[in-house]
Short mmCIF file of all heavy atoms in Angstrom, two decimals:
data_model
loop_
_atom_site.label_atom_id
_atom_site.label_comp_id
_atom_site.label_asym_id
_atom_site.label_seq_id
_atom_site.Cartn_x
_atom_site.Cartn_y
_atom_site.Cartn_z
N LEU P 16 -64.83 -38.43 -92.88
CA LEU P 16 -65.33 -38.62 -94.29
C LEU P 16 -66.31 -39.77 -94.40
O LEU P 16 -67.34 -39.74 -95.10
CB LEU P 16 -64.03 -38.99 -95.14
CG LEU P 16 -63.13 -37.83 -95.57
CD1 LEU P 16 -61.94 -38.37 -96.35
CD2 LEU P 16 -63.90 -36.80 -96.33
N GLN P 17 -66.06 -40.84 -93.63
CA GLN P 17 -66.95 -41.96 -93.65
C GLN P 17 -68.31 -41.60 -93.16
O GLN P 17 -69.40 -42.01 -93.70
CB GLN P 17 -66.39 -43.02 -92.75
CG GLN P 17 -66.66 -44.47 -93.20
CD GLN P 17 -65.69 -45.43 -92.50
OE1 GLN P 17 -65.26 -45.23 -91.39
NE2 GLN P 17 -65.40 -46.50 -93.18
N MET P 18 -68.40 -40.79 -92.14
CA MET P 18 -69.69 -40.35 -91.56
C MET P 18 -70.48 -39.62 -92.63
O MET P 18 -71.69 -39.86 -92.82
CB MET P 18 -69.49 -39.41 -90.34
CG MET P 18 -68.95 -40.19 -89.10
SD MET P 18 -68.58 -39.06 -87.76
CE MET P 18 -67.75 -40.12 -86.65
N LEU P 19 -69.78 -38.76 -93.35
CA LEU P 19 -70.44 -37.98 -94.38
C LEU P 19 -70.98 -38.89 -95.55
O LEU P 19 -72.10 -38.71 -96.03
CB LEU P 19 -69.49 -36.97 -95.06
CG LEU P 19 -69.12 -35.79 -94.21
CD1 LEU P 19 -68.07 -34.95 -94.92
CD2 LEU P 19 -70.29 -34.98 -93.79
N GLU P 20 -70.19 -39.90 -95.85
CA GLU P 20 -70.54 -40.86 -96.80
C GLU P 20 -71.82 -41.70 -96.30
O GLU P 20 -72.80 -41.86 -97.07
CB GLU P 20 -69.37 -41.80 -97.08
CG GLU P 20 -69.39 -42.42 -98.41
CD GLU P 20 -68.04 -43.26 -98.65
OE1 GLU P 20 -67.04 -42.75 -98.07
OE2 GLU P 20 -68.18 -44.20 -99.39
N TRP P 21 -71.80 -42.12 -95.09
CA TRP P 21 -72.85 -42.90 -94.54
C TRP P 21 -74.14 -42.11 -94.61
O TRP P 21 -75.22 -42.63 -94.82
CB TRP P 21 -72.61 -43.27 -93.07
CG TRP P 21 -71.56 -44.33 -92.90
CD1 TRP P 21 -71.13 -45.24 -93.85
CD2 TRP P 21 -70.77 -44.56 -91.79
NE1 TRP P 21 -70.18 -46.02 -93.36
CE2 TRP P 21 -69.87 -45.67 -92.05
CE3 TRP P 21 -70.64 -43.95 -90.48
CZ2 TRP P 21 -68.98 -46.13 -91.15
CZ3 TRP P 21 -69.78 -44.41 -89.60
CH2 TRP P 21 -68.94 -45.60 -89.93
N LEU P 22 -74.01 -40.83 -94.28
CA LEU P 22 -75.24 -39.98 -94.22
C LEU P 22 -75.84 -39.65 -95.65
O LEU P 22 -76.91 -39.05 -95.65
CB LEU P 22 -74.95 -38.65 -93.48
CG LEU P 22 -74.74 -38.83 -91.98
CD1 LEU P 22 -74.29 -37.49 -91.35
CD2 LEU P 22 -76.03 -39.30 -91.33
N LYS P 23 -75.16 -40.06 -96.65
CA LYS P 23 -75.72 -39.95 -97.96
C LYS P 23 -76.95 -40.86 -98.12
O LYS P 23 -77.87 -40.57 -98.96
CB LYS P 23 -74.71 -40.17 -99.09
CG LYS P 23 -73.77 -39.04 -99.24
CD LYS P 23 -73.29 -38.93 -100.76
CE LYS P 23 -72.42 -40.14 -101.16
NZ LYS P 23 -71.69 -39.82 -102.45
N GLU P 24 -76.77 -42.05 -97.50
CA GLU P 24 -77.87 -43.04 -97.59
C GLU P 24 -78.25 -43.59 -96.17
O GLU P 24 -77.83 -44.65 -95.84
CB GLU P 24 -77.44 -44.22 -98.44
CG GLU P 24 -77.05 -43.79 -99.84
CD GLU P 24 -76.61 -44.95 -100.74
OE1 GLU P 24 -75.77 -45.76 -100.30
OE2 GLU P 24 -77.22 -45.09 -101.80
N PRO P 25 -78.91 -42.77 -95.44
CA PRO P 25 -79.25 -43.11 -94.10
C PRO P 25 -80.02 -44.36 -93.97
O PRO P 25 -79.72 -45.22 -93.11
CB PRO P 25 -80.05 -41.92 -93.54
CG PRO P 25 -79.79 -40.85 -94.57
CD PRO P 25 -79.53 -41.42 -95.86
N GLU P 26 -81.02 -44.57 -94.83
CA GLU P 26 -81.87 -45.79 -94.80
C GLU P 26 -81.02 -47.01 -94.92
O GLU P 26 -81.30 -48.05 -94.28
CB GLU P 26 -82.91 -45.70 -95.92
CG GLU P 26 -83.96 -44.58 -95.73
CD GLU P 26 -83.50 -43.31 -96.29
OE1 GLU P 26 -82.30 -43.20 -96.64
OE2 GLU P 26 -84.30 -42.34 -96.31
N ILE P 27 -80.07 -46.90 -95.74
CA ILE P 27 -79.18 -48.14 -95.93
C ILE P 27 -78.12 -48.36 -94.89
O ILE P 27 -77.91 -49.39 -94.38
CB ILE P 27 -78.42 -48.02 -97.34
CG1 ILE P 27 -79.55 -48.21 -98.48
CG2 ILE P 27 -77.35 -49.01 -97.47
CD1 ILE P 27 -78.93 -47.90 -99.80
#
Side-chain angles (χ1 to χ4, degrees):
Chain P
L16 282 179
Q17 213 162 31
M18 291 175 191
L19 290 176
E20 206 172 329
W21 289 337
L22 289 173
K23 282 211 297 195
E24 302 183 307
E26 293 85 351
I27 290 172

